[in-house]
Amino acid sequence: MNRSKALVVYSGGQDSTTCLFWAKKHFAQVEAIAFNYGQRHVVELTAASNIAKAAGVPLHIFELDLLSSVSHNALTDKDINVESDQPDHRPPNTLVEGRNMLFLTYAAIFAKSNNIHDLITGVGQSDYSGYPDCRNDFILSLNQTLNLSMAYEYRIHTPLMWLNKSEIWRMADELDVFDLVRNQTITCYHGIPGDGCGTCPSCKLRNRGLVKYLNSEANGQIE
Ligand code: ZN
């Protein structure tokens, strides 16, 4: 089995970029896969391409616009506003149902045809925001299903699964890509790079973690 080659499910955001560099540290050969699924801002894919190029990682981008036509959500439908809060604890309206399952499934198909067994995804459940397919139980289940469906042994790695945003900033710093992640990635639901708009749920989460991490560094504290 080839354990030297890994495939990162990539989006150009903070989490998957941190994973990209984590992968470079742990695997001799890294490739990345990204999907155009009608997300609001194709600028994300431009960021993904630029970062992957700078990192020396081949990036394969595939069209998956079916995802935005089978259901509607604020991330792919420009007529739906991004909610800043969910008062009744339901998932945010930026949830794209089934997205991670589809991404990982397509990534797995691509991986098998390229003799890759190790898949890396930046999902996590510490800052659980109501996306069921970010949870560890789902990843373990899908790993088993993929193995059975293609009679092939996959290993899905989730280096961020148990980290909060502040700890993800620390990981980027330890991987020597803090500035790159801070300035070049796009996490904002409005497609604004770096620190973003500051008001959408994604920016709030990212920036809270950043402030917490910078404060802990300034105070010399280990959280
Ligand atoms: Zn934002």
Side-chain angles (χ1 to χ4, degrees), residues 188-190 197-198 200 203:
C188 176
Y189 289 145
H190 301 290
C197 74
C200 75
C203 280

Side-chain angles (χ1 to χ4, degrees), residues 28-41:
Q29 227 182 318
V30 177
E31 298 199 15
I33 188 167
F35 300 96
N36 184 7
Y37 59 98
Q39 59 270 53
R40 282 177 171 236
H41 301 285

Side-chain angles (χ1 to χ4, degrees), residues 98-165:
R99 180 175 53 176
N100 286 328
M101 187 173 79
L102 286 176
F103 283 9
L104 280 163
T105 301
Y106 282 109
I109 296 166
F110 177 88
K112 185 177 179 184
S113 66
N114 287 277
N115 193 31
I116 297 172
H117 291 266
D118 292 83
L119 304 174
I120 295 158
T121 172
V123 301
Q125 68 175 56
S126 274
D127 285 315
Y128 181 59
S129 53
Y131 289 23
D133 56 359
C134 287
R135 293 178 296 186
N136 199 47
D137 280 354
F138 163 71
I139 296 294
L140 295 175
S141 161
L142 182 66
N143 200 150
Q144 207 170 9
T145 298
L146 290 173
N147 292 1
L148 291 169
S149 70
M150 283 174 266
Y152 191 74
E153 194 185 326
Y154 292 102
R155 201 159 61 172
I156 304 181
H157 303 263
T158 53
L160 312 183
M161 181 57 74
W162 308 107
L163 303 183
N164 62 35
K165 281 287 175 197

Side-chain angles (χ1 to χ4, degrees), residues 35-56:
F35 300 96
N36 184 7
Y37 59 98
Q39 59 270 53
R40 282 177 171 236
H41 301 285
V42 177
V43 66
E44 283 174 25
L45 291 176
T46 310
S49 302
N50 291 339
I51 296 168
K53 197 172 176 190

Side-chain angles (χ1 to χ4, degrees), residues 5-12 15-24 27 29-35 57-60 103-104 107 110-111 116 118-122 157 159:
K5 202 171 168 189
L7 180 68
V8 179
V9 180
Y10 193 45
S11 73
D15 295 344
S16 64
T17 300
T18 305
C19 284
L20 189 78
F21 287 92
W22 180 90
K24 276 174 63 80
F27 293 88
Q29 227 182 318
V30 177
E31 298 199 15
I33 188 167
F35 300 96
V57 172
L59 173 65
H60 311 274
F103 283 9
L104 280 163
F110 177 88
I116 297 172
D118 292 83
L119 304 174
I120 295 158
T121 172
H157 303 263

